[in-house]
Amino acid sequence: MVLKNRFSLNQMTVANLTLPQAIESCVRHGVASIGLWRHRIEEVGLSAAVKFIKDSGLHVSSVCRGGMFPDPSASGRDARIDDNFRAIDQAAALEADSLVLVVGAGPSIPLPDARQMVVEGLARIAPYAQAAGVRLALEPLHPMYAGDRSVLNTIDQALALAIPFDPMTVGIILDTFHIWWDPALDAAIARCTGRVAGFHVCDWLVPLPDVLMGRGLMGEGVIEIARIRQMVDDAGYEGPIEVEIFNQSLWDTPSDEVMRKVIDSFIAHV
Amino acid sequence: MVLKNRFSLNQMTVANLTLPQAIESCVRHGVASIGLWRHRIEEVGLSAAVKFIKDSGLHVSSVCRGGMFPDPSASGRDARIDDNFRAIDQAAALEADSLVLVVGAGPSIPLPDARQMVVEGLARIAPYAQAAGVRLALEPLHPMYAGDRSVLNTIDQALALAIPFDPMTVGIILDTFHIWWDPALDAAIARCTGRVAGFHVCDWLVPLPDVLMGRGLMGEGVIEIARIRQMVDDAGYEGPIEVEIFNQSLWDTPSDEVMRKVIDSFIAHV
């Protein structure tokens, strides 16, 4: 049982709403925090986005997303770094708790090489983030995304990447969907103490309807979300908990109904 | 580059063929080993299956599969143990290198409890296997199957389960599809030295077409199969390498064409 005041709406849960629509929906449903996506920020422009947020009084729990470091060419990797600088600027202007990093993958790049490109990319952007006062948040993604979205796939791997940096410069996002299967989950979360930059929740449906768009509302699947939330609490994280659900049928549902469902399932199952 | 004489056809790659048809196809294509599935053994009966194999001169690299330990009720778990005893008898009669264990999962059972049921189930069947001269082979399955097929999801977790037992009683199956993403892969395979009971190959397609039926022919996806094969060799495994591909479009292809394709891609990419 967790209080509604820790609830944050990750904008991807209501993917069809524009930034002002998502903000308006949060305010109307008594939600205090929001996780923003850059394509929706860029649609209205950064200054307008900052104004919408300020006027609403909402807290920005994260900006999604930077990262995507691996690229076959040096110039391609440079372009990714420039894009991360822009993302850091956006997170700074919006006073977000963190910039989520989905580190990327290159289907044509051998896995060990792609992982080395992530090490190098992180080292290139960390000083810029520190100067901007933005916390970078490495998000390990489920191993089923290692071929096309993220070569960062376990909490321990994220910790190894983060440890060279100050915890307020490079933290870790824990997402139940991505980490729940880990045989060493309890110990790995405990090792994150002081590094947890955010916590995302959704559920794992059985059978899994789709690799990307098949995530479930909390309580619909097999993840022991409340147990994991307690472990994350014990690791010292007291911030907002984002509900981030990629699910086509949810996206096809009217957003007021989605808001009621996610808030209810948050209160019942997180 | 690996020699064709290490090639073994896992029967699931030609899922539409009966046991005698699969055996006949192996003989005709100059294949020396086969991995058998129990539903195809039971279709003809164990004695007939043994006679088909003896007459063909084929070596049986594995019998698939035992395991499936978690069940909400004690009587349900007992029934699973009895089924494992029958599987061990089949593997013994067929003189298989090992009985593959897919340990199972219970969507209604909390993950830590299901994992404990696996520990207990393995302890119950190991003495029976040892007496029968059958090597049990724990197969870690990809974490995306943790909700419905297997709560054993990493090599290190398999090692922890296996270590209390003699390596010839409880070994480990390494399958490229299930293990390739592991950030600690090289070290984990090295730790398997003396425990590798089998090696399975297929590829990971990007994007993944289907959670279960979307596996690719070697060379079609992103896995560095030859690099992993070398690591498995270095861990002391010199036995047959099974090609096991769950792929609906391959199953819809005439089996002679499938045999040519898998042998060619084995020689080129393993």
Side-chain angles (χ1 to χ4, degrees):
Chain A
M1 179 75 188
V2 67
L3 294 174
K4 184 184 164 185
N5 63 13
R6 292 189 69 188
F7 177 93
S8 176
L9 180 77
N10 184 290
Q11 197 175 356
M12 199 50 88
T13 304
V14 288
N16 294 329
L17 300 191
T18 64
L19 186 80
Q21 287 170 338
I23 289 171
E24 185 275 332
S25 187
C26 282
V27 171
R28 195 152 38 78
H29 287 270
V31 168
S33 299
I34 189 166
L36 302 179
W37 277 70
R38 292 176 63 204
H39 63 289
R40 290 299 193 182
I41 294 168
E42 289 163 8
E43 203 171 51
V44 296
L46 181 58
S47 328
V50 168
K51 187 170 185 325
F52 282 125
I53 288 291
K54 285 231 155 91
D55 291 349
S56 72
L58 284 182
H59 171 80
V60 179
S61 49
S62 74
V63 167
C64 302
R65 58 197 188 185
M68 301 294 170
F69 299 109
D71 191 279
S73 74
S75 62
R77 292 193 292 279
D78 288 347
R80 307 292 178 102
I81 298 298
D82 287 341
D83 184 63
N84 275 279
F85 291 158
R86 284 196 299 279
I88 291 166
D89 293 341
Q90 293 165 340
L94 290 156
E95 299 177 15
D97 290 344
S98 65
L99 172 66
V100 177
L101 299 184
V102 171
V103 302
S108 67
I109 306 167
L111 195 54
D113 297 349
R115 286 179 169 152
Q116 184 56 34
M117 291 175 191
V118 173
V119 171
E120 291 165 10
L122 183 62
R124 289 176 71 183
I125 69 169
Y128 190 95
Q130 189 164 27
V134 169
R135 192 179 200 184
L136 303 173
L138 292 164
E139 183 173 17
L141 256 57
H142 193 283
M144 71 184 173
Y145 300 121
D148 47 6
R149 284 189 169 71
S150 171
V151 297
L152 174 58
N153 307 107
T154 67
I155 296 171
D156 281 343
Q157 193 191 355
L159 274 168
L161 279 172
I163 276 170
F165 302 95
D166 182 275
M168 291 311 295
T169 302
V170 181
I172 293 171
I173 296 275
L174 300 172
D175 183 317
T176 53
F177 185 83
H178 296 303
I179 64 172
W180 75 281
W181 59 272
D182 192 330
L185 185 64
D186 303 33
I189 291 176
R191 279 192 289 274
C192 291
T193 301
R195 291 262 175 203
V196 183
F199 181 40
H200 294 184
V201 293
C202 72
D203 216 333
W204 182 282
L205 303 175
V206 170
L208 191 68
D210 183 84
V211 172
L212 188 60
M213 296 300 172
R215 304 187 190 180
L217 270 174
M218 298 75 76
E220 288 184 341
V222 298
I223 304 179
E224 296 179 287
I225 297 174
R227 194 175 76 85
I228 296 176
R229 195 263 306 155
Q230 186 60 57
M231 293 193 287
V232 175
D233 281 1
D234 293 345
Y237 183 69
E238 298 176 334
I241 300 172
E242 287 188 22
V243 175
E244 183 186 40
I245 308 180
F246 290 69
N247 182 301
Q248 191 60 54
S249 74
L250 205 63
W251 293 354
D252 295 337
T253 303
S255 62
D256 275 336
E257 189 181 332
V258 172
M259 290 296 282
R260 282 192 296 272
K261 279 185 173 175
V262 295
I263 292 168
D264 287 352
S265 67
F266 183 85
I267 291 168
H269 298 286
V270 180
Chain B
M1 178 75 189
V2 66
L3 294 175
K4 184 182 164 186
N5 64 12
R6 291 189 69 187
F7 177 92
S8 176
L9 179 77
N10 185 290
Q11 198 176 355
M12 199 51 88
T13 304
V14 287
N16 294 329
L17 300 191
T18 64
L19 186 80
Q21 287 170 338
I23 289 172
E24 184 275 332
S25 187
C26 281
V27 170
R28 196 152 37 80
H29 287 270
V31 168
S33 300
I34 188 166
L36 301 178
W37 277 71
R38 291 175 63 203
H39 63 289
R40 289 299 194 182
I41 294 169
E42 289 164 7
E43 203 171 52
V44 296
L46 182 59
S47 326
V50 168
K51 186 170 186 325
F52 281 124
I53 288 290
K54 284 230 156 92
D55 291 349
S56 72
L58 284 181
H59 171 79
V60 179
S61 49
S62 75
V63 167
C64 301
R65 58 198 189 184
M68 301 293 169
F69 299 110
D71 191 280
S73 74
S75 62
R77 292 193 291 280
D78 288 346
R80 308 292 179 101
I81 298 298
D82 287 342
D83 184 62
N84 275 280
F85 290 159
R86 284 196 298 278
I88 290 165
D89 293 342
Q90 293 165 340
L94 290 156
E95 299 177 14
D97 289 344
S98 65
L99 172 66
V100 176
L101 300 184
V102 171
V103 303
S108 66
I109 307 167
L111 195 54
D113 298 350
R115 285 178 169 152
Q116 183 56 31
M117 291 175 190
V118 173
V119 171
E120 291 165 9
L122 183 63
R124 288 175 72 183
I125 68 169
Y128 190 94
Q130 189 164 27
V134 168
R135 192 179 201 184
L136 302 172
L138 292 164
E139 183 172 18
L141 256 56
H142 193 283
M144 70 183 174
Y145 300 120
D148 47 6
R149 285 190 168 71
S150 172
V151 296
L152 174 58
N153 307 107
T154 66
I155 296 171
D156 281 342
Q157 193 191 355
L159 273 168
L161 278 171
I163 276 170
F165 303 94
D166 183 274
M168 291 311 295
T169 302
V170 181
I172 293 170
I173 296 275
L174 300 172
D175 183 317
T176 53
F177 184 84
H178 296 304
I179 64 172
W180 75 281
W181 59 272
D182 193 329
L185 186 63
D186 303 33
I189 291 177
R191 280 192 288 274
C192 290
T193 300
R195 292 260 174 204
V196 183
F199 181 41
H200 294 184
V201 293
C202 72
D203 216 333
W204 181 282
L205 302 175
V206 170
L208 191 68
D210 183 84
V211 172
L212 188 60
M213 296 300 172
R215 304 188 191 180
L217 271 174
M218 296 76 76
E220 288 184 341
V222 297
I223 305 179
E224 296 180 287
I225 297 175
R227 195 176 76 86
I228 296 176
R229 196 263 305 156
Q230 186 61 57
M231 294 193 287
V232 176
D233 281 1
D234 292 346
Y237 182 69
E238 297 176 334
I241 300 172
E242 287 188 21
V243 175
E244 183 187 41
I245 308 179
F246 290 68
N247 182 300
Q248 191 60 53
S249 74
L250 206 63
W251 294 353
D252 295 338
T253 303
S255 62
D256 275 336
E257 190 181 332
V258 172
M259 291 295 282
R260 282 192 296 271
K261 278 185 173 175
V262 295
I263 293 169
D264 287 351
S265 68
F266 182 85
I267 291 169
H269 298 287
V270 179

